[in-house]
Amino acid sequence: MSILDVASFAAGEWIVPDAGAREIESAITGRVIARAGQARLDTGAMLDHARRVGGPALRRLTFHDRARMLKALAQHLNEHKQTLYDLSYDTGATLADHRFDIDGGIGTMFVFASKGRREMPDAHVLPDGGIEQLSKTGSFLGQHICTPLTGAAVHINAFNFPVWGMLEKLAPALLAGMPAIVKPATATCYVTEGCVRLMLASGLLPEGALQLVCGGLGDMLDRLDCQDVVGFTGSAATASILRANPNLLTNSVRFMAEQDSLNASILGPDAVPGTPEFDLFVKEAAREITTKAGQKCTAIRRILVPEAQAGALIEALSTRLGKITVGDPRLKETRMGALVSQAQKRDVLAKVAVLEGEAERVLGDPGDFAVTGDDAQGGAFLPPMLFHCTDPDRARRVHDTEAFGPVSTVMGYRDIEHAVALANRGGGSLVASLVTHDPQVARAVTLGAAAWHGRIYINDRTSMAESTGHGAPLPHMVHGGPGRAGGGEELGGIRGVKHYMQRTAVQGSPDMLGAITGRWVPGAAQTTGPAHPFRRRFAELEPGETLVTAPRTVTLEDIEHFAEFTGDTFYAHMDAEAAARNPFFPGRVAHGYLLLAFAAGLFVDPGEGPVLANTGLDGLRFLKPVEPGDAIRVRLTVKARTPRTEDYGEVRWHVEIVNQDNEPVARYELLTMNAA
Ligand code: NAP
């Protein structure tokens, strides 16, 4: 069988392994299948390429351009994912594991593509939060903005997710406008290389946006500066070496670490045998122990159950795990594949020996178990292993030893407080899960454990059919955790994009802030367009373009008519004496909704035209009561435009309703869809 040369992609060139290469074995057969690495990589040229070619090309695009690029990349990978499945079997992964890694990675990219279009402007600057009023009259304001860092994002990934691990970091970096240099773990880099080749062959990425290091990273970290970012995923031991790099410290290089973690899953006191929650807990725990042969940073390492249920839980979980077929992941009947390498298997067995000092093995003998598949006898297989620790308070190693394989330890707790204390003994984890049908238990556990965990996953009979799993980081929700888990944070929607941007507080006049963000800011110049704004197409409207309507007097008859017509006969509109007793009203006042309706009547241009639909309003505030006899006018200003499709886009209008004394009585933002 020929040995695959896994190349690096540096400064636009594929570089094959040389004398400095390491051999890579198949997880299934133990035979050498590939080699990767160079004795010396020109890391200076790579960084230069990212900084001078990739970064500027990406930053010329808007957030929406880059989001469209991500969507097209994800579609391209989706069409070619079988190639990646075929490569990935040799990592020991089953088809179900591929779905987690490969489909999960592609799905993450799709989510960032969609969020980029829906939640970011079609611009080069991302406003962060709202305008801050820094002066009495509003002539001096503040706005936080985010702009992409101008260096390279260096992504160092763990072996267990060769595709998801890359894409979950790459998608937010590219969306932010930062080029990436990806360094996968050597053990599974051939799958990452396959994925990078697919992305480059698609022609969708600008030159220099993506480079790849298969093998050692050389002196790359020594060359980074404050415009670069390191995103690391791997063991706590490697993270502590890398984060102590003197150059990273001297230059305050952003360093995000996603490390290992002793994640706990808690069975609620109400979830006794016979409840749907007990069965759910057993099912989830078994799945977490066996997916990717337990090589998952989020896997359940510690199972916390009420002391009285420990026996029943061990019995039910052992029965379920006992049915798992271990072996060649290419075979349909296999439920759990191999660990990534013999070295990894040895590491797990060494950690198991540590656990055995404090816990009794109740399931799984690594010296005696069946492996399916004729070709699989040299592979790095292990059976699911379950331990029982009867004194988790005195024990130490069960709370700090990560056996990165199909291994978990059951511990009994006395009450919720004890369960929380044990969960927190992990010293900071990526995720803790809780299976309970009691909201008070959920509240107590969350308040006690949230500060120690990046994610809390609660499941019960209500959510179980649609829940996403204890171990699945979602692109919408943050992934990371304090302490032992690395102190980092990734994903979490657009939060994850901001890790690749600098947040800057910009202070100045409304016109200055408007020019920077491309949005009209209250207090900035208002202009009159050449026609009624409802007659102007999406692309013709300019931020600041304003319509001031004629006045309309609100009469008592209007108020009574509206009250009878809608059924809203609230006393403040109908009963003068009762209204006068209310501290907010001088007497009978107009309905707020009547004012909104009158406002539309004042600013709408009725004929068929570019305005396609009113899709909602944001931030509505009624500021001053309107009494019968008051005359209202509307100032309608284009605030921002966001393209949605080729045919139409969303216009955000700033609407202010004022009375005859020019005092604002209501303010809101109106959203319409306008033809392109
Ligand atoms: P690892 O041994 O710590 O390696 C992680 C990465 O660091 C690999 O790419 C490795 O490259 C690289 N590396 C090692 N030494 C380096 C150095 N001196 N300079 C630059 N790069 C270096 O971890 P692993 O064995 O691949 O992964 C398993 C661990 O990752 C587990 O502990 C697991 O819990 C953790 N993990 C965490 C998450 C998370 O999101 N928190 C996700 C997945 C895995 P080589 O392979 O070339 O040595």
Side-chain angles (χ1 to χ4, degrees), residues 277-299:
E277 282 73 26
F278 184 85
D279 297 341
L280 171 64
F281 187 86
V282 171
K283 202 169 143 194
E284 284 236 17
R287 188 177 61 203
E288 290 302 322
I289 292 169
T290 54
T291 304
K292 296 280 302 181
Q295 300 165 114
K296 226 159 43 129
C297 55
T298 49

Side-chain angles (χ1 to χ4, degrees), residues 70 73 109 155 165-175 178-180 182 199 205 209-210 500:
L70 287 184
L73 269 179
M109 207 167 217
H155 291 161
M166 168 169 62
L167 299 184
E168 62 103 14
K169 288 184 169 68
L170 185 62
L174 291 177
L175 187 52
M178 260 196 117
V182 177
M199 285 193 280
L205 283 167
L210 175 60
Y500 299 96

Side-chain angles (χ1 to χ4, degrees), residues 22 156-161 164 168 183-187 215-218 221 232-239 241-242 257-261 295-298 301 344 402 404 430 479-480 485 490:
R22 265 164 56 188
I156 304 170
N157 293 325
F159 73 79
N160 54 337
F161 290 114
W164 178 84
E168 62 103 14
K183 187 247 170 298
T186 304
L217 203 51
L221 299 188
F232 170 82
T233 297
S235 62
T238 309
I241 296 169
L242 300 190
E258 299 298 337
Q259 297 172 189
D260 52 36
S261 167
Q295 300 165 114
K296 226 159 43 129
C297 55
T298 49
R301 302 286 170 214
Q344 184 61 26
E402 185 202 41
F404 202 57
L430 295 168
H479 172 60
E490 293 181 330

